[in-house]
Amino acid sequence: MITARQVTEAQMKAALATVNSQIPMIEKLQNEVKTRQNRQFQNKVLRAPMSGTVITPNLYQLVGKTMPKGEQILEIADPTQLVAIIEVRQEDGDLVKPGASVTFNPPEPGLAPFTTKIKEISPVMRRDEQMQKSVLRVIAVIDSSSETLKPNAKMYAKISSPHPVSLYENVRREFLNLFKVRSL
C-alpha cells in the first residue's frame, strides 16, 4: 500500500510539475488573445481627420467585406467647404479658365444664388454616356457656413468667360455642336 501511495504521489508531483511548466505558456497565450481582441476592436472603429456628412455612394456593397489597410472606405464632405464638380462640354473648354467666376443657382425655391471662383480644371476628359458627349470636369470650392447647402446637391452653374463671346461666336459654336461639323 505504501508503494502505491508513493507511486501516486510521484505521479501527482509529475503532473503538478507539468501543469506548473505550462502556466507561463498559458499566461502568454492569454495576453496574446487580449492583445488581438484589443487590436480587433480598434480596427472596427473608423477614424477620419474631419467630421462631416458621409457622401460615399454604394456604401451597402462594402458590408461584410474585409478592406486592405489604407484603402478609402468613406468619403466625408466638410459642410463648411463643399467642392462643386461642374461638367462643361468639350467644345466650350477653351472658354473656361481657372479663377473665372461661377454663379450657382440652387433648384430649390427660396435659396439665393451665390458666386465662387473656379479652383482647377481637370486635364482629363470624361465621356458622358447619357448625353453621348465628352465633358470636362471643372472644380470650384464653395465656402459655406449656412446649413442650406447639402453635399451631393444638384445645382445650375453659370461660368463667366474672361473674354466676352460675340453673338456670332455663340451661334457658330451652337451650329458646330448641333450639326457635328469639325471646322468652319
Side-chain angles (χ1 to χ4, degrees):
M1 276 280 198
I2 294 177
T3 34
R5 183 174 181 197
Q6 289 174 346
V7 169
T8 306
E9 284 178 2
Q11 288 176 347
M12 193 169 104
K13 284 181 183 179
L16 194 58
T18 305
V19 168
N20 285 338
S21 69
Q22 298 290 328
I23 287 177
M25 180 63 83
I26 292 170
E27 289 174 353
K28 182 180 176 186
L29 290 174
Q30 285 175 341
N31 288 337
E32 188 174 330
V33 166
K34 285 180 185 177
T35 304
R36 288 186 182 208
Q37 285 175 340
N38 288 339
R39 199 175 312 144
Q40 185 179 19
F41 178 74
Q42 289 173 351
N43 289 338
K44 286 183 181 180
V45 176
L46 297 176
R47 291 178 188 83
M50 65 177 177
S51 62
T53 305
V54 176
I55 58 171
T56 303
N58 305 327
L59 185 60
Y60 65 92
Q61 292 177 344
L62 300 177
V63 174
K65 290 187 179 179
T66 303
M67 305 301 287
K69 185 177 182 177
E71 185 172 330
Q72 181 177 337
I73 298 171
L74 300 175
E75 187 175 352
I76 300 175
D78 183 2
T80 60
Q81 193 175 49
L82 298 175
V83 176
I85 300 172
I86 308 160
E87 293 182 345
V88 177
R89 294 185 312 196
Q90 179 182 2
E91 301 84 32
D92 297 336
D94 61 330
L95 298 175
V96 179
K97 303 289 182 215
S101 179
V102 182
T103 303
F104 290 100
N105 291 311
E108 292 87 18
L111 295 178
F114 54 93
T115 305
T116 188
K117 302 265 184 211
I118 292 177
K119 181 178 179 183
E120 67 180 81
I121 300 171
S122 174
V124 179
M125 297 282 177
R126 189 177 75 79
R127 184 98 175 132
D128 186 359
E129 298 301 325
Q130 190 176 27
M131 295 176 56
Q132 297 297 318
K133 295 186 180 198
S134 294
V135 293
L136 190 64
R137 295 185 82 181
V138 177
I139 298 172
V141 176
I142 303 168
D143 292 324
S144 167
S145 59
S146 71
E147 294 293 320
T148 57
L149 295 176
K150 301 292 181 205
N152 282 348
K154 304 284 184 211
M155 289 189 253
Y156 303 106
K158 180 180 178 183
I159 301 174
S160 300
S161 177
H163 307 291
V165 180
S166 67
L167 179 61
Y168 166 75
E169 183 64 26
N170 271 339
V171 170
R172 182 180 159 280
R173 284 178 175 277
E174 290 302 320
F175 180 79
L176 290 175
N177 187 33
L178 185 64
F179 294 109
K180 309 264 189 263
V181 177
R182 291 288 175 205
S183 62
L184 196 75

